[in-house]
Amino acid sequence: MIHSLFLINSSGDIFLEKHWKSVVSRSVCDYFFEAQERATEAENVPPVIPTPHHYLLSVYRHKIFFVAVVQTEVPPLFVIEFLHRVVDTFQDYFGVCSEPVIKDNVVVVYEVLEEMLDNGFPLATESNILKELIKPPTILRTVVNTITGSTNVGDQLPTGQLSVVPWRRTGVKYTNNEAYFDVIEEIDAIIDKSGSTITAEIQGVIDACVKLTGMPDLTLSFMNPRLLDDVSFHPCVRFKRWESERILSFIPPDGNFRLLSYHVSAQNLVAIPVYVKHSISFRDSSSLGRFEITVGPKQTMGKTIEGVTVTSQMPKGVLNMSLTPSQGTHTFDPVTKVGD
């Protein structure tokens, strides 16, 4: 499926490449560089770029392009999801996923990529299984490897890799059993001048950190699961039970993982935690104007809001702005015309 993987920084330099089925020349990335030049921003580069003999599929995260090269038609989301798994794995291994960190741990990076793909097809993509195959780098382990000439590769195959629950390693033991679930939601809304909500929708995820002994079987239910739409699950979730009962039943991986992502459409009642009002006025026969934004927390939302950032993209004709916030600090970039 995937023949090669290229890591490209925002300057257009290929600083790491990995090949599985066959060695693909770096010249194939010229088509990607052409698309990068045509795009106004890095996020606007097309995720799928066809070439005469290959397809280039890419994701842009942490100021790095992860570009996969395939020679036959494959489901593009399948490859894109794998690339996101690669980024998440690097972040889990090294704490941050950046060009300097990847260069400093290039040996571990190649070892992890070798285990994640077998002859171009995904093999082991779960973090807790990979950490048994390839030990995460530490200062002490790095020193020992330098002195003894050993590697981070484990001595034996993880038992969980051969079970019916490949995402969880066996023999897990904890003194304190605990499980945490974080619900993270992003609200996209259109609000009129009076502060009334015209339309609003939610993109949300549930991230979990489960540290339980043995092989736990968990059940998670919602007050109103019918609101959730376009739900994407971790492979551990029993999909048939969700379809029939709208209940999440799963044997969780060990450690951190994303349980599901979901969408709440605009047809449902979406409560916005802040109220927003704005006023725009221009002086007659003058280029001066006034733009006022009032933002405040709603008292009916339970937990109070801890921090608010207001970002305003002004038109290109605006030369300068005089900002006067009632609270907090402010900045204005006259080049990008963005005020915070």
Side-chain angles (χ1 to χ4, degrees), residues 100-318:
V101 172
I102 292 176
K103 288 181 177 179
D104 292 340
N105 300 276
V106 65
V107 175
V108 179
V109 168
Y110 277 113
E111 291 173 345
V112 169
L113 291 176
E114 193 66 36
E115 296 296 338
M116 294 188 73
L117 278 186
D118 180 21
N119 196 31
F121 291 88
L123 178 63
T125 58
E126 290 297 332
S127 179
N128 54 55
I129 298 297
L130 284 170
K131 286 182 178 179
E132 287 197 49
L133 292 166
I134 309 297
K135 303 297 182 183
T138 61
I139 297 177
L140 179 60
R141 188 174 291 124
T142 302
V143 173
V144 172
N145 291 347
T146 303
I147 297 174
T148 62
S150 57
T151 65
N152 291 346
V153 179
D155 297 331
Q156 58 187 3
L157 186 68
T159 54
Q161 186 74 359
L162 304 177
S163 69
V164 294
V165 189
W167 54 83
R168 184 177 180 85
R169 57 192 180 95
T170 59
V172 179
K173 293 183 180 180
Y174 287 102
T175 304
N176 297 322
N177 293 310
E178 54 188 12
Y180 298 97
F181 296 90
D182 292 329
V183 181
I184 304 170
E185 293 184 338
E186 178 180 321
I187 303 176
D188 294 325
I190 298 176
I191 301 175
D192 63 11
K193 185 177 181 180
S194 62
S196 302
T197 302
I198 298 176
T199 179
E201 58 183 12
I202 295 176
Q203 295 287 347
V205 298
I206 297 181
D207 289 334
C209 178
V210 179
K211 297 181 179 180
L212 300 175
T213 302
M215 195 70 67
D217 199 329
L218 305 183
T219 301
L220 181 65
S221 59
F222 299 91
M223 292 291 293
N224 192 357
R226 300 295 175 181
L227 292 177
L228 306 183
D229 191 15
D230 294 337
V231 185
S232 176
F233 300 104
H234 188 275
C236 68
V237 176
R238 298 181 177 96
F239 185 66
K240 288 186 177 180
R241 186 169 182 186
W242 169 261
E243 281 190 319
S244 59
E245 304 177 33
R246 294 295 173 180
I247 292 177
L248 289 180
S249 176
F250 56 97
I251 298 176
D254 180 43
N256 298 300
F257 66 100
R258 176 155 293 177
L259 182 61
L260 80 158
S261 60
Y262 59 89
H263 172 256
V264 178
S265 62
Q267 285 76 19
N268 300 291
L269 181 61
V270 176
I272 300 178
V274 296
Y275 66 85
V276 181
K277 296 181 180 180
H278 65 273
S279 175
I280 303 176
S281 60
F282 290 95
R283 297 178 184 178
D284 295 336
S285 66
S286 174
S287 61
L288 301 179
R290 187 178 182 86
F291 178 34
E292 295 182 353
I293 300 179
T294 304
V295 181
K298 289 185 178 180
Q299 302 299 326
T300 58
M301 294 304 297
K303 185 178 180 180
T304 57
I305 295 178
E306 298 177 355
V308 175
T309 301
V310 178
T311 301
S312 179
Q313 176 67 58
M314 305 305 295
K316 294 183 179 180
V318 176

